[in-house]
């Protein structure tokens, strides 16, 4: 496998019209889960991926296995739990960063929260070139937290491990999330964290401070929203060089799923051995695909299309603007791609 991801996926319910959850007359069913989102996006980009988790023996568990497997993700390592349900959540369609956004989880005591070192181990999670984890899993239960810590511990045979901080205060419920997330992130090889998360969880207000707080990982990527992302890479020793890549302008449909898509694009380029600037650009482009659709998951741009955009010079990259449908439009050349509406 190229990439193995481990974490909870849930059946998501989105209102059929804008507004409060209390006013929604009906909901549309979808799937949601940071780690499975990354696996699905990488599979759609042509990589071999495996998702490791637990779901209930209910119909919602059936749906998750069928839907995620349909992307080409290997789901044979997902275990069925007859005693615990599959997690569910309801959310509004708005941006997660606004006060109007609502999300209601029904995941306490879920099948995935019962993942542990004893029933997962490291053999299957370590079966790929890359293992992708997030801070969400650590928030599900003490057993899940111990599992994530176990998988991040240095040991022979451990693959490259990426860790997306994914700070979700609602899941931690006042526990020592900041200290725990920092401790876990320091055990990874690649760390993804939003600048807003670093401020909220750790009180760090600039990218350099984030790097100083995470000296161990080889690569630390600090995402700065619509401004872009900066990555520190330690390949030459010390804190490493800093590479900033601005994000292209995007006509946003919905913000959900963009962080997972960015991680998938960056990891895809990492697997291909591309330089740091190109890895960041691929992250931005895959995020732009998610930003221009209403759901959590979007088909990434075709590899040759993305490679042409990544190869643009700085001026052309700065003029790039991407809107709904851009990934499916065959562009005749760089000039046409830059004008993508």
């Amino acid at each position: 496998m190229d990439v193995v991801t481990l974490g909870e996926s849930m059946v998501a319910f989105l209102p059929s019209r804008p507004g409060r959850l209390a006013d929604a007359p009906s909901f549309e069913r979808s799937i949601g889960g940071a780690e499975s989102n990354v696996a699905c996006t990488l599979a759609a980009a042509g990589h071999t991926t495996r998702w490791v988790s637990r779901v209930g023996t209910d119909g919602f568990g059936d749906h998750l296995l069928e839907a995620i497997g349909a992307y080409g993700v290997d789901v044979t390592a997902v275990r069925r739990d007859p005693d615990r349900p599959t997690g569910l959540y309801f959310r509004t369609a708005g941006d997660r960063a606004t006060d109007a956004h609502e999300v209601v989880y029904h995941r306490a005591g879920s099948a995935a929260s019962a993942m542990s070192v004893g029933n997962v181990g490291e053999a299957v999670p370590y079966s790929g070139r890359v293992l992708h984890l997030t801070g969400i899993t650590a928030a599900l239960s003490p057993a899940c937290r111990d599992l994530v810590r176990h998988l991040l511990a240095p040991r022979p045979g451990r693959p490259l491990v990426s860790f997306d901080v994914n700070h979700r205060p609602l899941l931690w419920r006042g526990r020592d999330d900041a200290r725990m997330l920092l401790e876990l992130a320091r055990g990874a090889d690649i760390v993804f964290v939003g600048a807003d998360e670093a401020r909220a969880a750790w009180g760090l207000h600039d990218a350099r401070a984030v790097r100083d707080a995470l000296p161990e990982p080889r690569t630390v990527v600090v995402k700065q929203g619509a401004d872009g992302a900066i990555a520190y890479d330690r390949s030459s020793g010390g804190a490493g060089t800093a590479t900033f890549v601005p994000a292209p302008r995007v006509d946003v449909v919905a913000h959900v799923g963009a962080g997972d898509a960015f991680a998938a694009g960056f990891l895809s380029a990492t697997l291909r051995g591309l330089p740091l600037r190109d890895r960041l650009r691929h992250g931005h482009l895959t995020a732009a695909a998610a930003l221009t659709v209403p759901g959590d998951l979007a088909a990434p741009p075709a590899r040759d299309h993305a490679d042409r955009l990544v190869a643009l010079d700085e001026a052309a990259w700065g003029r790039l603007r991407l809107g709904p449908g851009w990934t499916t439009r065959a562009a005749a050349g760089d000039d046409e791609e830059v004008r993508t509406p």
Side-chain angles (χ1 to χ4, degrees):
M1 289 289 161
D2 289 330
V3 179
V4 176
T5 70
L6 179 146
E8 181 172 37
S9 189
M10 297 171 291
V11 175
F13 291 92
L14 284 64
S16 56
R17 70 184 187 192
R20 303 184 310 157
L21 289 178
D23 300 325
S26 59
F27 294 84
E28 296 180 1
R29 185 183 64 175
S30 182
I31 61 173
E35 299 85 2
S36 59
N37 285 348
V38 171
C40 290
T41 302
L42 283 165
H47 296 282
T48 54
T49 64
R50 172 176 290 141
W51 171 52
V52 181
S53 190
R54 293 172 71 88
V55 298
T57 53
D58 47 41
F60 293 127
D62 294 340
H63 175 63
L64 285 176
L65 291 174
E66 292 167 5
I68 294 170
Y71 279 87
V73 178
D74 184 310
V75 296
T76 58
V78 179
R79 297 292 172 252
R80 308 299 297 266
D81 189 327
D83 301 317
R84 298 176 179 85
T86 302
L88 311 175
Y89 78 100
F90 297 76
R91 69 167 174 82
T92 51
D95 181 2
R96 183 179 285 123
T98 69
D99 292 337
H101 180 75
E102 297 175 74
V103 59
V104 177
Y105 292 116
H106 291 273
R107 69 197 307 183
S110 69
S113 71
M115 287 189 294
S116 68
V117 176
N119 60 34
V120 174
E122 67 270 349
V124 175
Y126 284 2
S127 61
R129 295 169 59 193
V130 175
L131 170 63
H132 181 69
L133 304 168
T134 81
I136 295 173
T137 305
L140 297 181
S141 68
C144 283
R145 190 156 55 253
D146 289 343
L147 172 61
V148 173
R149 186 186 290 113
H150 177 80
L151 293 173
L152 283 163
R155 59 170 50 86
R158 194 187 94 163
L160 185 76
V161 179
S162 72
F163 182 79
D164 194 332
V165 171
N166 256 319
H167 183 222
R168 296 288 186 268
L170 187 63
L171 293 179
W172 288 93
R173 298 186 182 279
R175 288 172 286 172
D176 192 7
D177 54 332
R179 180 191 61 80
M180 180 59 62
L181 288 170
L182 188 62
E183 174 193 325
L184 295 173
R186 292 177 68 175
D189 301 300
I190 300 173
V191 174
F192 301 98
V193 62
D196 55 343
E197 294 176 308
R199 286 192 298 270
W202 303 326
L204 302 175
H205 294 274
D206 63 77
R208 181 69 226 193
V210 176
R211 180 43 158 170
D212 290 342
L214 295 168
E216 294 89 353
R218 172 171 175 168
T219 306
V220 174
V221 180
V222 182
K223 299 172 291 182
Q224 300 173 334
D227 292 333
I230 185 168
Y232 295 89
D233 188 81
R234 195 167 43 82
S235 57
S236 57
T241 57
T243 301
F244 173 77
V245 172
R249 288 173 295 168
V250 178
D251 297 328
V252 176
V253 173
H255 287 85
V256 292
D260 302 330
F262 182 96
F266 189 93
L267 292 175
S268 174
T270 299
L271 287 163
R272 297 170 61 198
L274 299 183
L276 193 57
R277 188 210 71 164
D278 292 3
R279 284 183 270 163
L280 289 167
R281 284 191 173 189
H282 275 284
H284 284 317
L285 291 173
T286 311
L291 289 167
T292 50
V293 299
D296 285 32
L297 281 166
R303 183 173 293 183
D304 59 345
H305 187 189
D307 284 345
R308 288 197 301 272
L309 294 177
V310 166
L312 294 172
D313 61 33
E314 297 297 327
W317 177 263
R319 294 194 301 272
L320 194 60
R321 181 169 183 170
L322 305 170
W326 74 272
T327 59
T328 58
R329 293 194 182 97
D334 287 348
D335 288 342
E336 183 176 342
E337 290 170 22
V338 169
R339 293 196 302 271
T340 301

